[in-house]
Amino acid sequence: MLGDRWALLILRSALYGVRRFDDFRAELQCPRTVLSGRLKRLEAEGILAKVAYREPGKRARHEYVLTDQGAALQTALVALNQWGDEWRAEPGAPPPLTFTDSATRQRVRVAFVDDSGAEIPAGRLRPRLRSA
């Protein structure tokens, strides 16, 4: 499901704060039927939840909010963004988007960290199968 281009773009937009159908459509330029189908699928998968809202004087409508499962994908999407900045950007060009700590405004990046909090270089990462 996450391999679908539109689903990934919708998820990225949701992580950046987009919640309403018309806002997703405007940002992504996605065909209405495609967007509707992908939102339904992301909801069925438990990644987005449809929540009712009502603006004063208007009828009730729905917006899409990330579930805990959906919000947990932020790490993977930020890692993909940072990979693109390093390997696909114009040489010497600053990244178009950076991530910062909201309290300190220090730049942050995705990294491998062990249980003690020490950063581990990717070359030292080893998969380990659980014993039966």
Side-chain angles (χ1 to χ4, degrees), residues 7-114:
L8 202 54
L9 291 172
I10 290 165
L11 181 58
R12 180 194 64 184
S13 294
L15 287 164
Y16 296 160
V18 177
R19 299 172 83 147
R20 297 179 180 175
F21 185 92
D22 289 337
D23 295 336
F24 281 114
R25 190 150 186 274
E27 179 170 312
L28 301 174
Q29 298 296 303
C30 181
R32 184 173 290 279
T33 55
V34 172
L35 179 58
S36 178
R38 295 316 188 281
L39 288 169
K40 284 178 186 171
R41 181 146 186 229
L42 289 166
E43 182 184 8
E45 294 285 341
I47 293 172
L48 292 176
K50 193 170 14 174
V51 177
Y53 74 93
R54 175 180 283 202
E55 292 180 358
K58 304 231 176 176
R59 67 179 174 91
R61 301 192 77 167
H62 291 95
E63 62 185 7
Y64 298 87
V65 297
L66 289 163
T67 62
D68 290 342
Q69 184 184 167
L73 288 166
Q74 184 171 21
T75 305
L77 289 175
V78 170
L80 284 171
N81 186 81
Q82 291 175 342
W83 175 87
D85 289 345
E86 182 170 343
W87 297 100
R88 295 294 184 245
E90 294 272 333
L97 178 68
T98 57
F99 298 89
T100 60
D101 180 321
S102 62
T104 65
R105 295 190 172 163
Q106 294 252 4
R107 218 170 140 180
V108 297
R109 60 186 169 79
V110 176
F112 295 108
V113 180
D114 69 16

